[in-house]
Amino acid sequence: MRGVGIGGYEPVRIQSMASSPTTDVPATLEQIKRLESAGCELVRLAVPDKRAVQAFAEIRKNTSLPLIADIHFDYRLALQVLEVGADKIRLNPGNIGGPERTLQVAREAASRGVPIRVGINSGSVEEDLLVKHGGPVPEALVESALRQLELLAPVSDLQLVLSLKASDVWTTIQAYRSISQQTDWPLHIGVTEAGTPFTGTVRSSVGIGALLAEGIGDTLRVSLTGDVTEEVRVAWEILRSLGLRRRGVELISCPTCGRTEVDLLRIALQVEEALKEIQEPLRVAVMGCAVNGPGEARGADVGVACGNGSGLIFRQGQILRKVPEEKIVEELLAEIQLYLTELETH
Ligand code: SF4
């Protein structure tokens, strides 16, 4: 998909979804641009009606990111959006109007070499499976997914991605663990409707992080209520913290304690904000004192260990200079800039 591979030895890919109405083409393109700068690799757009198909076509012409069309209820929209250049279709078999329609979309997608994500979620599980398993439990989600795989198996050349999301973290983890044992198709992982930035970040990090730590997951979305770029920042932090991918700044800052003699939170936040657009992998430490600070600061590419109204700037283990507190942020950022420039020229 436009150079973005999924599954196998490909890196775990980061997805998000535009929150603007797809029919508002300028707003959606602006969001896509911001998502791309934040490191998003695949963007999903809602396609609820024919006007959205036309808008999708327009958007497709104006971005190089792979675009996924999100289809509910009307399988004809899936067929139409394939015609205008969708790179992937996400459909929910629970509401697309039955197996024959799912098959029709799958055949058309396969003939165009376009993958489909079959998105199972708690709300899409068939009635008989809910009765059999006593609700949208992991077993029900998994059996529903296996049914879809069986249905789609005869479609030749079909490329599939599966997701089995639930808003409950344990249900999500258990469902993905089970399906990963039963299929080799790539899995898109995430905790659906995870919540506001605080709760959503925690819930997504626990659910997605647990799965990734077990080697499960080929693409992911962190679902947050709020600015879409926040989802991408959290996704990168999850991948970075597990050592799965490196991009941008890994900021280490100490929790502060009775030894801290500077306004460390302000310093750390200012540094984080100033560096959020940087894409090169970089480890930066902002530490509160001269007791444990130098150790961490030395281990970083660039760091500062703050003391009484001042800070020692470090670079790759070497102390460079001592600066007054009011100059710490400025000096640290200048040193980082110098470090990055030198990296580029070497
Ligand atoms: Fe306290 Fe220093 Fe540790 Fe920060 S680095 S928590 S100031 S001991």
Side-chain angles (χ1 to χ4, degrees), residues 254-257 259-260 287-289 291-293:
C254 81
T256 73
C257 70
R259 288 196 184 88
T260 320
M287 305 299 289
C289 76
V291 176
N292 294 325

Side-chain angles (χ1 to χ4, degrees), residues 21 25 52 59 63 71 88 106 108 128 132 155 161 174 229 256 260 280 285 287 312-313 319:
V25 174
I59 294 163
T63 175
I71 306 289
K88 186 174 163 195
E108 184 59 29
D128 65 313
K132 177 179 170 188
V155 181
V161 176
Q174 287 168 343
T229 57
T256 73
T260 320
E280 292 81 0
M287 305 299 289
L312 284 178
I313 306 283
I319 296 179

Side-chain angles (χ1 to χ4, degrees), residues 193-209:
E193 292 130 23
T196 56
F198 173 71
T199 50
T201 297
V202 174
R203 291 160 55 75
S204 292
S205 303
V206 171
I208 293 172

